[in-house]
Amino acid sequence: LIRDFEHRNIKLMVMRDVDLSCSGAELKTNILKRIAEESAFVTLRRSDLTTLKIHQLSAHQYKDQNLVVNLDRDDWVIEDGDRLQDKGVRAEAEISFYNNDAYQSFKQNPVVKW
């Protein structure tokens, strides 16, 4: 879950037993439900998270240099109607969830501020 790209403000959420035949919309719904219900994610409740993107397809696989989001593969965006398995997602995959407008701004000028 990415709140801010420039400051690398992220929060990890482990999703167990995810049905890989679920759609992007179903995954978003499940994530947003957990954000609303679990106190660990209270800082994300006002974030406008809109887009899912694969960061890494499975464990022990190549990872992009950017630790927050994969900037290289725009074809890895998971649309609402896409099935996770059809996009190549397997167990222990890493998927980023973020605001697309913020992502597009960061992609134009990928400067990290500390």
Side-chain angles (χ1 to χ4, degrees), residues 31-60:
I31 293 169
L32 292 171
K33 182 179 178 195
R34 283 190 59 190
I35 290 171
E37 293 174 353
E38 296 179 25
S39 62
F41 304 109
V42 70
T43 59
L44 288 159
R45 291 186 182 154
R46 288 187 227 150
S47 299
D48 184 24
L49 304 175
T50 60
T51 305
L52 293 168
K53 185 175 184 183
I54 299 165
H55 187 67
Q56 182 178 0
L57 285 171
S58 64
H60 313 296

Side-chain angles (χ1 to χ4, degrees), residues 41-86:
F41 304 109
V42 70
T43 59
L44 288 159
R45 291 186 182 154
R46 288 187 227 150
S47 299
D48 184 24
L49 304 175
T50 60
T51 305
L52 293 168
K53 185 175 184 183
I54 299 165
H55 187 67
Q56 182 178 0
L57 285 171
S58 64
H60 313 296
Q61 190 175 18
Y62 164 78
K63 211 177 209 181
D64 185 71
Q65 292 291 346
N66 190 307
L67 301 176
V68 176
V69 69
N70 185 332
L71 294 172
D72 296 337
R73 301 284 310 260
D74 284 337
D75 58 317
W76 280 6
V77 169
I78 301 171
E79 302 293 343
D80 286 348
D82 292 340
R83 300 272 171 218
L84 299 181
Q85 63 192 11
D86 295 339

